[in-house]
Amino acid sequence: MIKKIITLLVLIIIFCTACTKKTERQVNTFDEIIKRGYINVGVKTDSFPFGYKDSKGNYAGFDVDLAKIIAGEIFKDKSRVKFVPVTSSDRMMKLFSEDIDFIIATMSITTAREQILDFSNSYHNAGQSILVRSGSKIKGLRDLNNKKVIIVFGSTSERSLRSAVPSALIVGYKNYKDAYKALKAGKADAIVSDDSILLGFSLKDSGVKLLPKRYTKEPYAIAFRKGAESKELIKIINEILDNQRHKGVLKNLRKQYGIK
Ligand code: GLU
């Protein structure tokens, strides 16, 4: 009950922030983006291979490339995009309070989120899985009973883990880098999150392993502020996504980043 009240209060705060900001600045429409000459996109920097910084410090990853493709389609110039770093825990707040047109940030469509956000069509299907240290005896969800399990705040795994394994002792972190460091340091027994993000850690580090089973469906989509201001933009972006899918561009991009 208390959890429900807290969730409701958070939603109200997010809504109010959105309303105040809307009156403070111009409403963001597709026309305004065209006038401005570039898109402002929130992307991750802690979620290899979807959103991260490469060795030169540049934004990179599937979601980052998708933003460039969208800029290329709108402006015929892929460089017409300004990136704003977001995490799972701050992405909604940033979408409502900063100059971000939309976020491409490993974000799943959920019914709860649809109450306060608008989504594009889905561009990737992930699913939650479990990351453990290599020597671990954990083989599946059942083994997480009474274990310390890491989630990242603001991600879907926070809720799914609570209902799938109520006895798990949940340890929350603000981003995936800290979550991974905590697992390596033995502060918990596992991380539960999307396989696409956890795979990134297991590809780079043989000291951790990703368990193969998926427990949820996580359809990734681009998220927008809810309302009339986003309608035209969403329509155009959906057309771009459909086109790129048909041309095989999304499939190639997945291949390029080793995403399944
Ligand atoms: N896709 C899930 C979500 O939207 C988990 C990944 C993330 O933390 O962004 O919450």
Side-chain angles (χ1 to χ4, degrees):
M1 185 63 188
I2 292 176
K3 239 180 267 162
K4 273 191 187 155
I5 293 171
I6 292 173
T7 312
L8 199 67
L9 282 176
V10 171
L11 292 184
I12 290 168
I13 291 168
I14 289 175
F15 250 138
C16 291
T17 315
C19 297
T20 327
K21 283 286 166 183
K22 264 188 202 165
T23 49
E24 272 172 14
R25 65 183 190 133
Q26 282 198 312
V27 170
N28 212 334
T29 62
F30 181 65
D31 291 344
E32 282 174 36
I33 289 175
I34 295 292
K35 233 185 280 167
R36 189 200 301 138
Y38 61 92
I39 46 173
N40 280 319
V41 185
V43 291
K44 298 270 204 79
T45 58
D46 65 345
S47 300
F48 176 86
F50 279 85
Y52 62 100
K53 291 267 186 92
D54 66 15
S55 54
K56 289 184 189 138
N58 296 318
Y59 288 93
F62 183 99
D63 285 348
V64 169
D65 284 358
L66 191 53
K68 288 180 187 169
I69 288 169
I70 291 169
E73 290 298 307
I74 294 175
F75 300 109
K76 304 286 164 258
D77 179 354
K78 283 190 172 186
S79 69
R80 301 275 199 109
V81 44
K82 194 177 132 207
F83 291 111
V84 179
V86 300
T87 61
S88 300
S89 46
D90 69 15
R91 62 190 158 191
M92 275 207 236
M93 236 17 181
K94 283 193 169 174
L95 178 63
F96 287 125
S97 62
E98 292 192 14
D99 282 330
I100 296 181
D101 300 318
F102 47 88
I103 46 183
I104 314 183
T106 67
M107 194 155 191
S108 310
I109 304 171
T110 68
T111 35
R113 286 175 181 165
E114 277 177 324
Q115 308 303 308
I116 49 170
L117 299 173
D118 279 335
F119 284 99
S120 70
N121 296 337
S122 173
Y123 64 86
H124 174 69
N125 285 310
Q128 280 171 31
S129 188
I130 303 171
L131 187 79
V132 292
R133 286 182 297 278
S134 290
S136 170
K137 292 205 174 77
I138 293 169
K139 298 252 179 320
L141 269 188
R142 237 193 260 159
D143 302 326
L144 296 182
N145 275 314
N146 302 309
K147 291 279 190 316
K148 279 190 181 170
V149 185
I150 296 171
I151 54 93
V152 168
F153 291 124
S155 73
T156 44
S157 48
E158 189 172 354
R159 191 187 241 193
S160 66
L161 184 64
R162 276 208 174 95
S163 64
V165 192
S167 71
L169 308 164
I170 294 180
V171 190
Y173 285 88
K174 277 190 186 162
N175 60 62
Y176 284 96
K177 273 184 193 147
D178 291 347
Y180 166 70
K181 272 191 217 153
L183 177 70
K184 291 288 287 178
K187 292 190 178 158
D189 303 287
I191 305 178
V192 170
S193 187
D194 294 353
D195 52 356
S196 0
I197 296 175
L198 299 180
L199 178 72
F201 292 112
S202 67
L203 286 177
K204 287 183 168 179
D205 177 4
S206 59
V208 293
K209 67 176 177 200
L210 177 65
L211 303 186
K213 196 166 164 29
R214 279 183 169 185
Y215 299 100
T216 62
K217 288 193 172 140
E218 304 290 330
Y220 285 7
I222 302 173
F224 304 81
R225 284 181 289 277
K226 196 169 184 62
E229 61 172 305
S230 301
K231 285 271 175 307
E232 196 187 352
L233 185 57
I234 295 173
K235 189 172 159 270
I236 284 158
I237 287 186
N238 276 338
E239 281 167 12
I240 294 173
L241 285 177
D242 288 349
N243 242 326
Q244 301 300 311
R245 188 176 299 111
H246 284 129
K247 286 200 283 183
V249 175
L250 298 189
K251 197 174 164 203
N252 284 342
L253 208 53
R254 261 194 289 277
K255 215 167 155 195
Q256 182 189 323
Y257 285 105
I259 298 165
K260 287 188 190 116

